[in-house]
């Protein structure tokens, strides 16, 4: 069991980013975390980005952003 005093945050939020392949999920998350755009190869499996923020009440919030590999969907017309 994890000791609560070892945590460096007050709240932990895990967000899962899903969508079709090549729509910009990784680019969007990278822009939010690192404040710049970059081109990426397709994600294989899952990547996890983390960002720690402080809210207006001076509480530490850790965001875990899970970037999934996109699914190629065939659209029938």
């Amino acid at each position: 069991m994890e000791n609560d005093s070892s945590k460096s945050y007050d709240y932990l939020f895990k967000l899962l980013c899903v969508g079709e392949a090549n729509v910009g999920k990784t680019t969007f998350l990278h822009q939010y975390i690192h404040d710049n755009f970059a081109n990426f190869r397709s994600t294989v499996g899952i990547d996890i980005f983390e960002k720690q923020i402080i809210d207006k009440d001076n509480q530490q919030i850790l965001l875990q952003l899970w970037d999934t590999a996109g699914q190629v969907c065939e659209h029938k017309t």
Side-chain angles (χ1 to χ4, degrees), residues 36-59:
N36 66 11
F37 283 107
N39 291 323
F40 293 94
R41 293 184 180 164
S42 295
T43 302
V44 176
I46 193 164
D47 287 331
I48 299 174
F49 297 93
E50 289 188 342
K51 183 171 186 170
Q52 193 155 8
I53 58 175
I54 301 173
D55 74 358
K56 63 179 177 142
D57 297 324
N58 206 29
Q59 294 181 327

Side-chain angles (χ1 to χ4, degrees), residues 1 6-7 9 20 33 46 49 54 57 65 67 72:
M1 189 160 123
S6 67
K7 292 191 293 189
Y9 53 86
E20 292 187 19
I33 297 296
I46 193 164
F49 297 93
I54 301 173
D57 297 324
L65 307 171
D67 179 23
V72 176

Side-chain angles (χ1 to χ4, degrees), residues 11 54 61:
Y11 296 99
I54 301 173
I61 299 171

Side-chain angles (χ1 to χ4, degrees), residues 18-33:
V18 297
E20 292 187 19
N22 301 316
V23 296
K25 296 179 299 294
T26 302
T27 302
F28 176 78
L29 293 174
H30 192 272
Q31 163 63 23
Y32 180 71
I33 297 296

